[in-house]
Amino acid sequence: MEAAVEVKDFRPIKRIKLVIDKLISANQHAFIEGRKRTDTAIVANEFLDQLLKSKKKGIACKLDQEKAYDHVNWSCLQNIFKQMNFCDKWIGWIRYCISTVGFSIMIRGSPHGFFKAQRGLGPGDLLSPYLFTLVMEVLSMMIRWAENFGWIKGMSFGRTGGDSVTISHILYADDTLLLCEAHRKHLL
């Protein structure tokens, strides 16, 4: 792929698709090629099934980031790009794409007024899901950080004494499913 020199050469969707799966943890299932949102339902079902069979205590908490696309802070997104080592030119192009959005209100089929967006991602923009996924990766990293400090402990799935996997959270679109062992210290 040729290097983009001007904005007209820039194909953000194509470029971000090339790297997104390398930047996003396996905990995220939406908008990443090869990952299915339906996997989240399967894991949640397995979690509940294993809890019932084993009589272990666990916590499943679904978080819904209501209208999260509307609340993405552009400066935060820019900082995320810097932390993920995107080049300044690319960051500038994305900033241009998201900060030059304007809206008019249709009244009786005619546009009236004009106002610029102050934050958020355009829900119809094909780039928005990928940018939002990058923002949600910060939440995923924070949950892993809490796990590393022992503030929460994910649930283990698999056979006793055999292969098992521990899962603390799954992110899909603007929803998060937390799966934790039930300990009083994790609830405080």
Side-chain angles (χ1 to χ4, degrees):
M1 179 170 26
E2 294 178 31
V5 177
E6 298 178 26
V7 174
K8 68 181 175 104
D9 302 326
F10 178 59
R11 293 185 184 94
I13 300 277
K14 186 175 180 181
R15 289 178 180 258
I16 205 158
K17 278 184 171 182
L18 292 173
V19 298
I20 193 106
D21 64 327
K22 295 166 185 69
L23 299 172
I24 301 302
S25 62
N27 301 75
Q28 290 208 54
H29 291 267
F31 312 120
I32 310 295
E33 198 168 312
R35 301 182 194 181
K36 297 179 182 81
R37 287 159 107 196
T38 54
D39 291 346
T40 306
I42 293 167
V43 170
N45 187 51
E46 288 295 319
F47 170 80
L48 294 173
D49 189 50
Q50 185 168 337
L51 275 181
L52 293 171
K53 287 179 182 175
S54 69
K55 300 198 190 300
K56 286 174 36 177
K57 293 182 181 177
I59 299 169
C61 179
K62 182 184 175 284
L63 307 174
D64 181 7
Q65 291 87 9
E66 185 180 351
K67 298 188 180 198
Y69 276 79
D70 298 339
H71 294 83
V72 170
N73 180 291
W74 294 339
S75 296
C76 175
L77 186 60
Q78 186 173 332
N79 287 332
I80 290 168
F81 290 142
K82 286 181 182 178
Q83 291 299 314
M84 291 184 169
N85 294 320
F86 282 85
C87 73
D88 289 337
K89 184 183 267 187
W90 196 90
I91 294 170
W93 284 338
I94 293 295
R95 185 177 51 242
Y96 178 81
C97 287
I98 62 177
S99 65
T100 57
V101 176
F103 302 95
S104 288
I105 298 172
M106 297 292 280
I107 300 175
R108 296 186 185 100
S110 299
H112 291 278
F114 180 81
F115 55 96
K116 287 187 66 158
Q118 297 296 313
R119 64 177 181 183
L121 300 172
D125 185 343
L126 297 176
L127 185 60
S128 292
Y130 297 104
L131 299 178
F132 185 72
T133 300
L134 291 169
V135 171
M136 291 302 289
E137 185 61 19
V138 174
L139 175 60
S140 183
M141 290 188 309
M142 291 171 70
I143 294 169
R144 286 193 307 272
W145 188 66
E147 238 184 324
N148 290 337
F149 279 94
W151 297 339
I152 63 170
K153 185 172 181 187
M155 289 297 297
S156 292
F157 296 90
R159 294 173 280 158
T160 306
D163 293 335
S164 66
V165 66
T166 301
I167 300 174
S168 60
H169 65 288
I170 302 169
L171 294 101
Y172 50 105
D174 61 350
D175 294 314
T176 303
L177 181 63
L178 296 173
L179 306 169
C180 304
E181 289 185 359
H183 293 290
R184 186 175 293 274
K185 70 178 183 176
H186 297 156
L187 297 173
L188 301 176

